[in-house]
Amino acid sequence: SNSAIKPLWGDIRTFQLGVSMRYIASDKWTLFGLPILRYTTEKGVDLDEGREFGLLAGASYRFSDKLTLGPGLGLFSGIGGEEDIFPILLVNWKMTDSLSLETGRGTAASRGPGLALKWRPSTQWEFGLAARYEKTRFRLADELGNIGQDKSVPVVLTANWKYKRSFTLTALAGMETSGSLSLEDRDGNQLYKSSYDAAPLAGLVASYKF
């Protein structure tokens, strides 16, 4: 059903672990792997009820100092018996000394990398325009153990400030487009589905590399 439905859940919490692995096979080929363990549930439900496993993997080929390109694959096994497989594009294209098109990281609980156009006017500052596909599934705090799902395509402007290569502060603002919400029973059978209008998003992310 595409009819509008009232909110069917409250606050959603998520916890994620991932280990990024990279292997330089030669001066041209690089292999990439990212296994992911994620827990996502509505507040009031044990995180273990919303467990899913994922793997992002691929290979990139360095055509020149300015272009690296390659295919990849994402696999997720989650709640409700979901099995999700999708292609990934790995790209790093340095169009100029300060402008590049790259595979971008997520702004939320993401199923795979998106694309980001980045401008670096200095070593400390970086500005970008990024778009990606987001899909989040979570166990609900109802008696039936139903499953909620949120899908959208966020388009985001970012401003990134770096301090001494270890500390990074990123401000982001944009819109979630092509959004849809759905409700499934505990076995993954769809009960309701509703699209929603473009919605604003904003955030502040701090990271530190050891």
Side-chain angles (χ1 to χ4, degrees), residues 7-8 16 28 33 50 71 105 119 125 147 149 152 155 160 168 174 183:
L8 297 173
Q16 177 174 306
K28 295 290 187 180
R105 294 187 301 172
W119 176 51
W125 284 99
I147 300 165
Q149 179 175 280
S152 66
V155 180
N160 189 304
T168 302
L183 177 68

Side-chain angles (χ1 to χ4, degrees), residues 24 42 44 57 64 69 101 119 126 157 186 196 199:
I24 301 175
E42 185 179 6
S64 69
L69 194 65
L101 181 66
W119 176 51
E126 176 187 282
L157 292 170
R186 67 174 301 108
Y196 58 87

Side-chain angles (χ1 to χ4, degrees), residues 23-98:
Y23 174 68
I24 301 175
S26 70
D27 61 342
K28 295 290 187 180
W29 284 100
T30 300
L31 306 180
F32 165 80
L34 176 60
I36 296 170
L37 174 61
R38 180 184 297 148
Y39 301 85
T40 310
T41 67
E42 185 179 6
K43 187 176 180 180
V45 182
D46 289 341
L47 281 175
D48 194 58
E49 293 293 321
R51 181 176 57 197
E52 64 177 357
F53 303 94
L55 174 65
L56 306 177
S60 61
Y61 182 81
R62 186 171 65 88
F63 290 90
S64 69
D65 291 339
K66 295 184 178 296
L67 179 62
T68 300
L69 194 65
L73 197 66
L75 304 95
F76 274 83
S77 177
I79 56 178
E82 184 207 28
E83 301 292 338
D84 198 4
I85 303 176
F86 50 88
I88 295 172
L89 176 65
L90 305 176
V91 57
N92 189 332
W93 178 24
K94 297 178 181 178
M95 293 177 281
T96 69
D97 290 340
S98 60

Side-chain angles (χ1 to χ4, degrees), residues 162-168 207-210:
K162 184 179 293 186
Y163 180 70
K164 291 185 177 179
R165 295 188 178 183
S166 57
F167 179 76
T168 302
S207 63
Y208 184 82
K209 293 182 179 180
F210 293 95

Side-chain angles (χ1 to χ4, degrees), residues 105-120:
R105 294 187 301 172
T107 58
S110 168
R111 288 294 178 110
L115 287 177
L117 182 65
K118 297 183 178 181
W119 176 51
R120 299 180 179 88

